[in-house]
Each structure stands twice: as structure tokens, then as C-alpha cells.
Amino acid sequence: MLSEKMQDALNSQMNWEIYSAHIYLSMSSHFAQVGLAGVARWMDAQYQEEMYHAMQFFKYINEAGGHAKLAAIEAPPYKWESTLAAFEHALEHEQGVTSRINALADLSIEEKSHAVGIFLQWFIAEQVEEEDTVGGIVGKLKLVGDGGGLFMLDNELGSRVFTPPTKA
Ligand code: FEO
């Protein structure tokens, strides 16, 4: 059984994951507009991944005897100054997600809620990967700038396909 406080915190994270999804979907639209189809595709895969994250919270809250409650989602920005600015935004956003997941893990320890702690372990590891992936792209973008290298990177990013993990 989830405490009221834990249920609210898990619901807040579920809705934040949906907000994350909206940011990436908005980025996908932005990159389609500016003619970087590969980056748009990468962002679409990231959107799907964020919705997968949200659904893990949704299922867990209901399975653990709580009630997954959807909330209003703030509109994300719809354009970015450059490809680098968008990925820097993504990195900053992912660092914020990591802090939120860590705060949830702190709450699970505080409440001695071992089941929630186990559920969150996957997300703790996932955030290391998220920050590493986005941080790596930020690094490459700083190297290539806006020249021809950007089109090679667009090609590389366009090969990404989201495949849901078999176990979460
Ligand atoms: Fe769901 Fe990118 O964190």
C-alpha cells in the first residue's frame, strides 16, 4: 500500500514523464520544420521512450493499490535557436529528471518502502544512460558546429529506433 505522500510523488513523476515526452515531441516537430529529418526521428524515438517511462509509473501506481491520476501538462517550447540549444535543453531537463528520481528514492528510504525502492532502481540506472547519451550528443554538436558535420550527425541520429525494454 502506498502512503498518500508517496502516491502523490509517484503521480507527480508520471506526469513529469509525460511532460518530458511532450518536450521531445515538440523538438521532433521543430527539427522536421528545419529540415533535419534524422534529428526529428531521434526526438520521436525519445518521445516514445518517455511515454514508456510514464506508463511504467502509471501501471506501478495502480498495481500498488494507488490511483494513477493524470494532470494538466504545461505546453513545451516549440522552437530552439540551434540544434545544440535543443540538446542542451534536453540535457538540463534530464539532469532535472535525475534529481526528481533521486528525491523519490530518498522518500522510499524515509518511508521504508522497499517495493517502491526496487521499482525505482531501473529508473536510477536509466537516468545515468539518458544523461550519458544526451551529453554525448551535446559534445559531438560542439565539435561539428553548424557545418557539413551536422548533416552526418543527422544521418547517424536518424538510425535510432525505440524498442521497449523486455523488463523494467
Ligand atoms: Fe524519463 Fe528522459 O527521463
Side-chain angles (χ1 to χ4, degrees):
M1 194 66 193
L2 300 170
S3 71
E4 202 65 31
K5 189 176 176 183
M6 180 60 83
Q7 193 182 158
D8 288 349
L10 290 168
N11 266 311
S12 169
Q13 187 58 31
M14 174 188 74
N15 283 291
W16 194 254
E17 298 288 350
I18 297 173
Y19 176 56
S20 306
H22 285 199
I23 290 175
Y24 290 115
L25 189 59
S26 186
M27 286 182 178
S28 180
S29 180
H30 166 79
F31 285 108
Q33 292 291 317
V34 300
L36 289 170
V39 183
R41 190 174 156 87
W42 190 95
M43 290 296 177
D44 179 69
Q46 186 67 20
Y47 154 74
Q48 292 176 54
E49 185 169 309
E50 297 300 348
M51 285 308 296
Y52 172 82
H53 293 170
M55 288 310 295
Q56 296 315 299
F57 278 93
F58 178 93
K59 287 182 207 158
Y60 181 76
I61 295 164
N62 284 328
E63 277 170 16
H67 184 167
K69 295 175 191 154
L70 297 169
I73 305 293
E74 185 189 327
Y78 61 90
K79 61 180 177 182
W80 287 263
E81 259 175 42
S82 63
T83 311
L84 177 60
F87 276 93
E88 281 179 333
H89 178 187
L91 181 58
E92 193 185 324
H93 183 78
E94 290 305 332
Q95 287 163 343
V97 173
T98 301
S99 300
R100 284 168 177 262
I101 298 284
N102 287 343
L104 268 176
D106 290 345
L107 181 62
S108 75
I109 291 167
E110 198 183 295
E111 292 198 355
K112 298 186 168 58
S113 181
H114 303 299
V116 173
I118 289 169
F119 167 70
L120 291 171
Q121 274 177 12
W122 184 87
F123 285 92
I124 292 166
E126 171 72 359
Q127 279 313 119
V128 174
E129 199 182 304
E130 292 271 82
E131 284 192 36
D132 181 51
T133 303
V134 178
I137 297 170
V138 166
K140 282 183 181 175
L141 283 166
K142 283 182 177 167
L143 283 174
V144 303
D146 287 332
L150 182 57
F151 289 97
M152 284 174 67
L153 192 57
D154 183 58
N155 212 30
E156 180 187 321
L157 294 178
S159 65
R160 179 180 179 195
V161 176
F162 172 66
T163 311
T166 47
K167 196 175 159 203

